[in-house]
Amino acid sequence: MTPAVAKDTMHQNPQPLTPMTTTTTTTAVAYAGGDERRGPLTMGQANMIRCILRDDPTHINIHDVWPVPEGTTPAAVTDALRALAVRHEGLRTTFPHLPGSAPVDQVVSAEGTFTVTVLDHTELPADPAGYAESVARAARAGRFALEREFPLRITLLTVAGQPAYVALAFSHAVADASAMAILREEFAELLAGKELPGLTSLPPVDLAAVEASPAGLRKSQASLRYWERILRTGPQEMFAEPRGRRPGTDEEARQLTLRSRRGGRALAGAARRTGHPEATVLMAAWCALVAHRAGQDSCVTAVPSANRFHARVARSVTTTSQDALLHLDVRVPAFDALVSRTWGAVLNAYRHSQFDSVRLWEMIDRVTAERGSHFGRDVVFNDVSALPAPLLGTETQNGGEAEQELTWGPPQALPTRMLAFTYRTTPQLHISLWAAPSVFTPEEAEGFLSGLVLLLEAAAAGDVPMEALAEVTGIRPAERGPDWLRVDGCWVSSDAVRETLGRAVGGLPVHVAEEPGPYGSAAGAADTDGTAGEASGAEAHLTAYIACGDTPLAPEEAHRALTALIPAAGSGVLAPHRYVIVGNPPAEPDRSDAWRRLNTIDEGTGRSRQV
């Protein structure tokens, strides 16, 4: 799970396309005129630096391409870049720290230098924008030296000395997708000779002071409590199913892009009919289909772009990379009720998207060990359609006039199970989707985006019963065998739990049964072998019977050993609520009642408090 990342930093093959004949020169550009400052890190900076120090640079660094208008001189380009460095403290920031330690402060320089690598070509390749993109992406390789390196790697692509594109790689410690869009906009305005308005959002040092204030600390505490409730009670995997992989195991997924004028019209129509903003309707439709496809009662999705809704950070050139975590219960009769519920749930998630990332990870580790789980950041929905279209880059703007088209792009490393970027909602709905191939075949991925349009069209015409989603969209829920159970808000495979627990306790015989428990009220449960439970009126839970023989074993030891394996285990593994230690297995080891009749040596749970 990566609850810190605002722009999912996937990577493709970093090698640039083969250019025509080039000449390379490097120019040092000096800047001066800013203020020298020092202060603690912002929460977003601390969160991203944690990832920078840990992750592959090609995953965590980000990139962008800025077209240069025809007739612009190289000097004008460097002057504009210099002006941006002076204007924005984040671009003049380094993070001093000793080797092996993480930074705690940021230092803003009043002056310094950066380099511009000029690649001059006799002519650019047939796809010049794609070539520029590949140059920028290649520059992501190599870790930024946080304590000393200028946080932008800048390549100016020219043709016979005439600038065409600026290809940039950014340290994610100083910029996110929104910050890159702001810089791209200001760069274009500077080249056009416009005077930039005064800054209205806080620079990082001042933002850190606000976050460290009593009000900021209370906000962070509230966010941690909000996250903890979801981690303790929500589904640990959205796509818990036999063919799924464990959350956190990367896969290569191809980009699938939908451009649909039908979808744009339908979204506008559904928003008018329901009286809710388009963004809310789209989020409701997304969550409805994700939960429907996953066979879940709720949808848990990260919403990374949610944390720039306040004016003090809306146009701040820094990283605000912290997730809003949306937990939306979809158990409503029809779609209109879900849209109404989504509005409040989204606002609640946004309010709780500022937190101390170190304390968040400490809480995640504690809660998942107590619950015996591994929370998966399975679903990410990043709606950047509110950004002006010119700021979204050439890749997101170039679309045909077809009523609806689906196009496949290159594969990219996917640290989630399902990631979507919404670039535009009008005049066409423009969404790019990366869906893990272990969970979605190519046909299913296409069917999901097509089904989203069908749901919006149906919602524009009238209220849609939730039980009719399969009929309306053509999307079918995941199929699970009889060993899959709904336990503790999660889909759990009793076979996978038994196998993983058996490995955890060194191959001792293990039996896992679903039994009534003291955690709530429900109808009588059935055991995994099909026999009826002994009681009714209690929520079903898992009991693990372990035959230890002559091996000393306590329930707490079994729980710790199991939780150590869960992050790398297969899908559908959740720790039992109760461990029962017996001597030897029964003669009929597949029958729960036979295990219950054995003498108990010890019993207990490794779990801690419930929320």
Side-chain angles (χ1 to χ4, degrees), residues 241-331:
E241 54 188 84
R243 58 177 172 169
R245 293 189 188 180
R246 192 69 207 171
T249 55
D250 288 4
E251 297 183 62
E252 287 238 322
R254 293 179 64 194
Q255 178 180 0
L256 175 62
T257 297
L258 166 77
R259 289 185 173 90
S260 174
R261 292 184 176 273
R262 283 174 49 195
R265 290 192 301 271
L267 178 57
R272 285 193 302 271
R273 192 188 63 76
T274 61
H276 285 276
E278 289 185 4
T280 303
V281 174
L282 183 59
M283 180 67 76
W286 168 264
C287 289
L289 286 190
V290 169
H292 168 71
R293 165 61 181 77
Q296 301 278 14
D297 290 337
S298 63
C299 177
V300 177
T301 183
V303 190
S305 60
N307 41 19
R308 282 185 178 264
F309 62 95
H310 197 286
R312 66 170 172 255
V313 293
R315 291 188 62 84
S316 182
V317 174
T318 186
T319 184
T320 61
S321 297
Q322 295 185 283
D323 281 348
L325 188 66
L326 175 63
H327 185 200
L328 181 62
D329 190 332
V330 300
R331 290 174 295 182

Side-chain angles (χ1 to χ4, degrees), residues 9 48 79 94 260 317 338 413 442 456 478 532:
T9 50
M48 287 314 309
D79 285 346
T94 53
S260 174
V317 174
L338 183 64
L456 292 173

Side-chain angles (χ1 to χ4, degrees), residues 23-27 115-120 153-157 167:
T23 302
T24 304
T25 58
T26 300
T27 303
T115 59
V116 177
T117 300
V118 180
L119 295 183
D120 191 38
R153 296 169 183 162
I154 306 168
T155 304
L156 176 60
L157 306 180

Side-chain angles (χ1 to χ4, degrees), residues 310-561:
H310 197 286
R312 66 170 172 255
V313 293
R315 291 188 62 84
S316 182
V317 174
T318 186
T319 184
T320 61
S321 297
Q322 295 185 283
D323 281 348
L325 188 66
L326 175 63
H327 185 200
L328 181 62
D329 190 332
V330 300
R331 290 174 295 182
V332 293
F335 184 70
D336 286 7
L338 183 64
V339 175
S340 298
R341 178 177 290 183
T342 301
W343 173 254
V346 168
L347 290 180
N348 201 27
Y350 285 8
R351 287 205 319 268
H352 296 103
S353 61
Q354 175 186 311
F355 44 77
D356 182 328
S357 61
V358 174
R359 294 191 61 193
L360 178 73
W361 275 101
E362 291 172 350
M363 181 269 290
I364 289 172
D365 291 342
R366 182 182 73 254
V367 170
T368 53
E370 291 170 356
R371 194 181 186 191
S373 61
H374 181 75
F375 185 85
R377 190 174 180 262
D378 270 6
V379 183
V380 182
F381 186 80
N382 204 354
D383 187 348
V384 295
S385 61
L387 291 174
L391 306 188
L392 296 178
T394 57
E395 212 173 276
T396 63
Q397 297 177 57
N398 298 330
E401 297 299 315
E403 276 290 279
Q404 183 160 304
E405 63 179 7
L406 288 165
T407 56
W408 285 96
Q412 304 185 28
L414 187 69
T416 69
R417 303 280 78 84
M418 194 176 202
L419 165 69
F421 273 77
T422 299
Y423 296 111
R424 300 172 72 178
T425 58
T426 183
Q428 59 179 197
L429 183 61
H430 179 183
I431 299 177
S432 284
L433 173 71
W434 293 261
S438 64
V439 179
F440 290 85
T441 65
E443 293 76 19
E444 288 172 329
E446 291 180 352
F448 188 90
L449 287 182
S450 298
L452 181 65
V453 174
L454 291 172
L455 175 56
L456 292 173
E457 289 179 330
D463 201 2
V464 180
M466 295 296 284
E467 63 182 14
L469 287 181
E471 179 183 353
V472 169
T473 67
I475 299 171
R476 305 295 173 187
E479 295 183 0
R480 299 178 176 92
D483 72 300
W484 284 82
L485 316 166
R486 283 296 278 279
V487 176
D488 197 16
C490 303
W491 278 108
V492 180
S493 165
S494 59
D495 288 348
V497 174
R498 183 184 67 250
E499 188 275 331
T500 306
L501 179 56
R503 286 193 289 116
V505 295
L508 294 174
V510 171
H511 178 77
V512 175
E514 182 187 13
E515 299 179 339
Y519 303 104
S521 61
D527 292 326
T528 56
D529 58 8
T531 60
E534 293 179 343
S536 63
E539 183 184 55
H541 74 281
L542 290 184
T543 294
Y545 294 87
I546 307 174
C548 68
D550 296 328
T551 304
L553 181 67
E556 295 80 6
E557 293 177 89
H559 182 80
R560 285 195 299 270

